[in-house]
Amino acid sequence: MVVLWECERALHLVSDAATRTAAEQLRRTAWRTMAESFHAATSQWAGPHSRTYHDRLSQGLVRELSDRTGIELPVHPEHGEGELYPFW
């Protein structure tokens, strides 16, 4: 998510065409990587993403993914609480 946010920030702040193109390509790669690692049946990321910080997606991350994709994702019962948008 940090890569995604930083690419989006670059797209808001930078006017250089080559840099904007690189940021957009990296942003798309980040989304593709997240999608490829997402297990729809459990609404969780597969490893290694799932093991980076927590075993389950936090409430904040689930909410952000839901908001960004327009798909309502359930929060795992073990993570029913937590910060909304925890990295902001």
Side-chain angles (χ1 to χ4, degrees):
M1 291 304 297
V2 173
V3 170
L4 183 63
W5 293 324
E6 291 302 320
C7 288
E8 290 170 349
R9 190 164 68 121
L11 290 168
H12 285 288
L13 297 173
V14 176
S15 59
D16 176 69
T19 302
R20 290 182 56 79
T21 297
E24 178 59 19
Q25 288 173 342
L26 187 54
R27 188 186 73 81
R28 288 175 182 263
T29 298
W31 271 114
R32 185 177 60 248
T33 300
M34 287 190 294
E36 289 170 349
S37 300
F38 192 78
H39 186 256
T42 61
S43 295
Q44 297 295 312
W45 269 330
H49 307 289
S50 64
R51 294 184 302 270
T52 303
Y53 299 105
H54 303 285
D55 289 336
R56 305 276 188 248
L57 295 176
S58 69
Q59 179 184 15
L61 188 51
V62 169
R63 172 61 67 84
E64 180 154 358
L65 291 172
S66 291
D67 289 350
R68 286 169 167 264
T69 63
I71 299 168
E72 191 62 36
L73 301 170
V75 175
H76 191 277
E78 292 177 14
H79 287 278
E81 309 227 354
E83 294 181 33
L84 184 61
Y85 303 101
F87 295 107
W88 288 6

